[in-house]
Amino acid sequence: MDRYDVIVVGAGPAGSTCAKACAEKGLKTLMLDKQRLPRDKVCSGMVMGALAQGLIEQEFGFPPQEVLTHPSQLKGYCFHVPGIGLEKIDNLTWLSWRKELDHWMNQKAGESGVDIRDRAEVVGIAQKAGGLAIMVKREGETRELMSTYAIGADGATSVIRKFLFPNLQVRYGQALQEHFEGEIGLDQDYFHWFYPREINPSFFTVHQKDGTIIMEVAGKPGTTKEIMTWAQTFMAEHHALSKAREPVWRGSCLEPALYRELTSRTFRPARGNVLLVGDAAGFIMPVSGEGIGLAVQSALAAAAAVTRSKGTGDPPDGMYLTGIEPILSCFEKTYPWFKKIMEEAKGEGTSLPGILKQAYEGTLSPIDSTE
Ligand SMILES: Cc1cc2nc3c(=O)[nH]c(=O)nc-3n(C[C@H](O)[C@H](O)[C@H](O)COP(=O)(O)OP(=O)(O)OC[C@H]3O[C@@H](n4cnc5c(N)ncnc54)[C@H](O)[C@@H]3O)c2cc1C
C-alpha cells in the first residue's frame, strides 16, 4: 500500500505551496486533485499587493510571461459609486488566468519532488492505528492511501472540512462570472469595482485581459443571475457594453464566509494531524476577497507545522493555529469595514467612494508572520 508523510488534497495555490514546501523539507508528499489538471477556477486572477506578490516571488519566483495576460500588470483599482463618485488606488497587480497561474505552481511543486495525481477525488478520511486513511476515487475505483499528515487545500466547499467539522454551519456567498468578446469604455489598466446602491449589499466588477471583458457579480446564493442582468444593463447604458452581447463563457462558484467563526476562535481550522489551508479554512480577505496570498501564507504555516511535528512527534495543529494568528488579527482589523460599507450604502452614500478606498487599502499590506 502507498504510504506518504503528507497528502495534500487540492492543487490550487494553497495545495501547491504546501506540497512544495513539505517536499523541499524531505517529506514524501502526494498532491491530489479531483479535476483534470491544468484546471480552471472562477477568479479574477489578480495577484494583489505586497502580501501575495511577495510570498509568490519568495516561494516560486516571478511568474514567467506565459503565465501572465495582456496587460500583464494592472496599475490599480477604481471604485465606482454610480451617482456619487469615483476613487482610485494605484497598486501594481499581476494579472493572470488562474489556469495558467495554478499550472505553473503545480509544475514548480512537481519539480520539487511532489507526486501529483489528477482526477483523484478524496471522498473520505479516517484515523486508523497506522495513521490517516485517505479514500481516493479514481477512474471509478476507490482506494485507500495512508499518510501521517493530511492537508485540506480543497477549496471553498472542502470535503476535508466537512469530515473534520461535520456540525459547522457554513454560510456561503456566490460569485457568477461571465466573459464577453470585444471592448468596453473603461480603462483596461485598472480593475473596476462597482457599488451601485440599488444592488447593495451585492456588487459587481469588470476587468479586461487578452481582449476579453470579464464581469463578476457577488451576492447571496440564488441572486447572482438577476444581479448580472442588472449589471449588464447598467454597463450598456453607461459604459458602452453592447446589450445584444452573449457571454462566450460563464462560471459560478461559492465562497465560504467564516470570518465570525474564525475571529471568535469558535472555528479552529486544524485537528491533530489534519490542517485546513486557503479557502478550505475560510481564508478570504474581508472586503477585497483576496485569497491567493492568504492561501500561500496559510500553506506555508501548515508546512512549517508539519515539518516541525515530523521532528518532535507533537501533533502540528497547535503550532499551525499559532502560525495563522496574524491572518486572524488581520481579519479582526478588516472585517469591520464590511459593516461601514454597508451602512454608508444604505444611507446617503456620499462618503462611500472614500470608505471603499480606505477599506481596500487596508487589505493590501503584507501580514507580519512574526506578530
Ligand atoms: C469571482 C472570484 C474572484 C476572485 N478573484 C480573486 C483575485 O483576483 N485575487 C485573489 O487573490 N483571490 C481571488 N479570489 C479568491 C481565490 O480564487 C481563492 O481564494 C483561491 O483560489 C484559494 O485557493 P485554494 O488553493 O485555497 O483553493 P482552490 O484554488 O479553489 O483549489 C482547490 C482545489 O481543490 C480541488 N478539490 C476540491 N475538492 C476536492 C476533493 N474532494 N478531492 C480532490 N481535490 C479536490 C479542486 O478541484 C481545486 O483544484 C476570487 C474568488 C472568486 C470567487
Side-chain angles (χ1 to χ4, degrees):
M1 177 187 292
D2 293 340
R3 189 181 169 104
Y4 290 88
D5 292 317
V6 190
I7 292 185
V8 176
V9 185
S16 287
T17 306
C18 188
K20 180 174 176 289
C22 288
E24 282 167 352
K25 293 287 180 194
L27 302 180
K28 190 177 176 205
T29 306
L30 172 69
M31 179 163 70
L32 302 168
D33 203 287
K34 67 179 178 185
Q35 297 192 56
R36 182 191 290 274
L37 298 174
R39 65 94 178 93
D40 218 338
K41 155 92 179 75
V42 174
C43 181
S44 311
M46 289 189 288
V47 181
M48 300 163 83
L51 164 68
Q53 290 171 16
L55 288 175
I56 289 188
E57 211 168 343
Q58 172 194 303
E59 297 302 313
F60 294 85
F62 192 85
Q65 197 52 48
E66 63 272 16
V67 166
L68 301 176
T69 56
H70 178 77
S72 59
Q73 302 205 354
L74 295 174
K75 290 182 182 158
Y77 322 119
C78 289
F79 304 98
H80 304 252
V81 184
I84 303 229
L86 168 77
E87 276 286 357
K88 246 185 200 181
I89 297 178
D90 284 317
N91 181 70
L92 224 53
T93 295
W94 306 341
L95 194 57
S96 70
W97 295 107
R98 283 293 299 279
K99 192 171 184 176
E100 273 72 38
L101 181 71
D102 291 16
H103 181 49
W104 171 64
M105 294 172 91
N106 289 167
Q107 283 176 317
K108 290 274 180 183
E111 285 163 19
S112 297
V114 177
D115 188 359
I116 303 174
R117 276 181 226 166
D118 66 356
R119 289 165 294 146
E121 181 179 8
V122 171
V123 292
I125 177 167
Q127 184 72 54
K128 290 205 171 165
L132 295 165
I134 318 269
M135 265 63 78
V136 185
K137 201 168 150 193
R138 199 169 192 231
E139 291 167 355
E141 254 181 60
T142 303
R143 281 180 63 198
E144 188 177 281
L145 301 178
M146 292 302 293
S147 181
T148 308
Y149 304 99
I151 307 295
D154 49 342
T157 56
S158 168
V159 86
I160 303 294
R161 187 178 67 223
K162 283 178 198 149
F163 271 96
L164 230 47
F165 305 102
N167 299 322
L168 181 71
Q169 299 285 324
V170 184
R171 285 164 292 118
Y172 287 98
Q174 190 172 34
L176 173 66
Q177 190 181 74
E178 291 192 349
H179 297 182
F180 301 89
E181 280 170 351
E183 282 168 11
I184 194 169
L186 286 172
D187 185 346
Q188 74 156 358
D189 288 327
Y190 285 82
F191 188 89
H192 299 267
W193 263 281
F194 286 85
Y195 281 83
R197 288 158 67 230
E198 292 89 330
I199 59 168
N200 178 56
S202 303
F203 59 91
F204 69 92
T205 69
V206 185
H207 74 288
Q208 300 162 80
K209 56 195 175 202
D210 293 339
T212 302
I213 301 162
I214 296 113
M215 287 187 69
E216 285 155 3
V217 305
K220 282 191 186 147
T223 65
T224 51
K225 258 191 176 169
E226 202 182 319
I227 301 165
M228 182 63 90
T229 305
W230 190 97
Q232 283 168 16
T233 306
F234 176 87
M235 294 312 289
E237 285 170 8
H238 299 275
H239 295 280
L241 179 73
S242 156
K243 257 190 195 165
R245 234 181 255 272
E246 272 301 308
V248 289
W249 189 88
R250 176 182 286 136
S252 167
C253 70
L254 295 174
E255 280 291 325
L258 285 164
Y259 304 115
R260 278 186 227 145
E261 295 79 355
L262 283 165
T263 54
S264 62
R265 277 59 171 182
T266 49
F267 166 53
R268 310 291 276 151
R271 189 165 276 175
N273 285 5
V274 188
L275 313 177
L276 299 175
V277 294
D279 275 12
F283 292 148
I284 300 132
M285 189 69 85
V287 180
S288 70
E290 197 279 350
I292 298 172
L294 293 179
V296 174
Q297 177 139 3
S298 57
L300 290 174
V306 162
T307 309
R308 183 151 126 200
S309 165
K310 180 83 179 153
T312 61
D314 294 332
D317 53 352
M319 185 181 166
Y320 177 59
L321 293 175
T322 306
I324 60 167
E325 268 305 306
I327 298 179
L328 304 186
S329 311
C330 174
F331 282 9
E332 279 161 359
K333 282 183 219 143
T334 46
Y335 186 58
W337 284 102
F338 259 149
K339 217 173 148 197
K340 276 193 199 164
I341 291 169
M342 255 182 271
E343 274 168 9
E344 187 59 22
K346 264 191 234 151
E348 286 192 1
T350 43
S351 311
L352 193 51
I355 290 177
L356 288 167
K357 181 177 161 124
Q358 265 182 286
Y360 278 79
E361 271 169 349
T363 66
L364 293 170
S365 314
I367 299 175
D368 185 359
S369 51
T370 57
E371 239 176 48

